[in-house]
Amino acid sequence: MLPKLAGVFVLAGFSLTLGAVATVSAASDEVPFPDGFRDWFAVNSMIVTKDSPLSAQIGGLHIVYVNAKGLPLLKTSGPFPYPDGTVFADDVHDFSVKDGSYVEGTKKAVTAMVKDSKKYAATGGWGFQVWAGGDPAKPLIPDTAHAIQACFVCHSPQQAQDYVFSTYIP
Amino acid sequence: MLPKLAGVFVLAGFSLTLGAVATVSAASDEVPFPDGFRDWFAVNSMIVTKDSPLSAQIGGLHIVYVNAKGLPLLKTSGPFPYPDGTVFADDVHDFSVKDGSYVEGTKKAVTAMVKDSKKYAATGGWGFQVWAGGDPAKPLIPDTAHAIQACFVCHSPQQAQDYVFSTYIP
């Protein structure tokens, strides 16, 4: 089991990523790439450093986005669950540290959680995917079994808010 | 002179902020609060820690936004200057560090740079303001002289990209 992180984030683990493992040609659970997510609502940001036990899985500077479908419920913090069609995307970048400031670098990965309560019933109604380098042609999670291991295990403790770490921070 | 930060950010210094100094009742340069900026395009994120020489001025977790007027030129990285009406906003939050992860906390301040090449000619065509706690009723920069000291001095080295630190990071 991956270590748990108490926080406010959508965390889709990507221990399968970062070069060592070949990408899959087609994700069997068919989670679509979150096209245009940079124009969505920016929910929050976080940095996972090399000092974190999750560094290998999710190290980097994160900015989490939510699409218009999920935004109202995020802002009211419920009532859960999120409606089908909700998508959270996490834009993960490298970062550098200079004189005590952590500065955003190049894109490392994009992750997504897509809500479809029937299609993804085995993982809380969420489909999970990670794309290496944020490239839509490079999904890294081949099937539901891997999604459970790489993503859902960490999200499970968040069941009370529909498996989502992120909260709205005014 | 404040120390310089090599980076990719809009930094509006707020050495006047953070409780010790009373807020001004009306900012003489009348920079408007960036209403609705949370729905704008999120440009990038950064964390300035207590180890930074800029910690007292701009410590916190930053997410920088740009309005629709400035977005096209941000994405093409020029040609500068930004058009009048461009606004950058910086949403500055406290953060906590837990197990090597830097997690966003409550709002600390909101800053803005508003482009009006005539009105703000003395400061590169940009009006600068900082609002304590992100409260539109609590601007902290009383006049242009203070804007120069608290904001423009640090932004001056960025003249080649119209005094803006932020760049588009795909």
Side-chain angles (χ1 to χ4, degrees), chain B residues 18-107:
Chain B
L18 308 181
V21 178
T23 59
V24 294
S25 58
S28 65
D29 60 351
E30 294 173 356
V31 175
F33 187 83
D35 289 323
F37 76 85
R38 283 290 298 267
D39 294 317
W40 298 356
F41 183 87
V43 179
N44 49 35
S45 182
M46 175 174 76
I47 294 180
V48 177
T49 74
K50 59 178 170 44
D51 297 327
S52 167
L54 290 169
S55 174
Q57 288 81 24
I58 58 165
L61 186 154
H62 299 243
I63 302 180
V64 174
Y65 296 81
V66 68
N67 69 353
K69 189 79 176 181
L71 182 56
L73 197 138
L74 175 83
K75 284 192 170 175
T76 55
S77 297
F80 301 104
Y82 281 94
D84 282 359
T86 295
V87 183
F88 284 90
D90 186 0
D91 194 20
V92 189
H93 284 245
D94 283 319
F95 61 90
S96 57
V97 184
K98 183 177 171 66
D99 297 337
S101 289
Y102 290 66
V103 178
E104 185 173 338
T106 56
K107 194 184 293 286

Side-chain angles (χ1 to χ4, degrees), chain A residues 66-86:
Chain A
V66 67
N67 70 353
K69 189 80 177 180
L71 182 57
L73 198 138
L74 176 83
K75 284 192 171 176
T76 55
S77 297
F80 300 105
Y82 281 95
D84 282 359
T86 296

